[in-house]
């Protein structure tokens, strides 16, 4: 489907080794008690405050963080090229483990922070990536990632959450996750993923020279 103003994106299947995926499975199983329900009603005019319902655990990769980060950084230049984002120095790699159970969804939004919160941040998200590791055979339906054109009005791509699949796209592209349905409401049947964001540091404001400073007296 040819959609004008559609964001570029990349899908990489068989992304991680089977050993690392098995370790992620063990991590998810052991950390279920720490998963927190994130349910929010969106505020008009604030794109990142989109309606959502999912279970998350920020920074929950623990001992697997170095290996996962290494895998992500190993394909960073490809992600830049394939998403159309100019290469940049990565200031931060942000991750969260996410589980979507029956009724979970994430309405259309962008991953870049907006409003007052944005003013205090030292870095900006430029590339968003999702790594899927649900159990197979899949015990759920739905949960597809839909990417929209840059107007946010026209659906440009729909990507299924297959195990060992990585998807990346510009963080400023509109996207949503369709509702998840399953016969069993459990973490075993959930749509498991690691959400990941590559951050670029903001340029610091140059200090004014002494001669340029205006007197306040």
């Amino acid at each position: 489907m040819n959609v004008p103003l559609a964001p570029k994106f990349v899908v990489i299947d068989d992304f991680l080794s089977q050993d690392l995926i098995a370790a992620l499975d063990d991590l998810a199983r052991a950390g279920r008690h720490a998963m927190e329900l994130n349910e929010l009603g969106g505020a008009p005019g604030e794109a990142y405050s989109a309606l959502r319902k999912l279970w998350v655990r920020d920074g929950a990769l623990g001992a697997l963080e170095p290996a996962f980060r290494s895998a992500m950084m190993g394909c960073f230049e490809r992600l830049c090229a394939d998403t159309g984002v100019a290469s940049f120095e990565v200031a931060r790699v942000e991750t969260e483990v996410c589980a979507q159970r029956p009724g979970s969804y994430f309405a259309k939004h962008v991953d870049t922070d907006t409003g007052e919160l944005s003013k205090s941040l030292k870095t900006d998200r430029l590339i968003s990536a999702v790594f899927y590791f649900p159990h197979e055979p899949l015990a759920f339906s739905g949960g597809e990632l839909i990417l929209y054109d840059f107007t946010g009005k026209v659906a440009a791509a729909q990507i299924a959450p297959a195990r060992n699949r990585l998807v990346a796209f510009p963080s400023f592209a509109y996207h949503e996750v369709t509702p998840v349905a399953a016969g069993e409401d459990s973490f075993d049947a959930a749509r498991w993923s690691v959400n990941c964001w590559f951050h670029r540091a903001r340029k610091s404001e140059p200090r004014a020279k002494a001669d340029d400073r205006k007197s306040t007296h």
Side-chain angles (χ1 to χ4, degrees), residues 11-16 78 131 160 162-167:
V11 178
I12 304 175
D13 287 323
D14 300 320
F15 179 64
L16 293 183
R78 176 183 176 182
F131 175 74
R163 183 173 173 86
N164 204 7
R165 168 173 287 176
L166 180 75
V167 182

Side-chain angles (χ1 to χ4, degrees), residues 5 15 34 37 51-52 56-58 122 131 206:
L5 300 178
F15 179 64
L37 177 62
L51 292 162
R52 71 192 79 163
V56 297
R57 188 179 176 194
D58 292 338
K122 295 182 179 180
F131 175 74

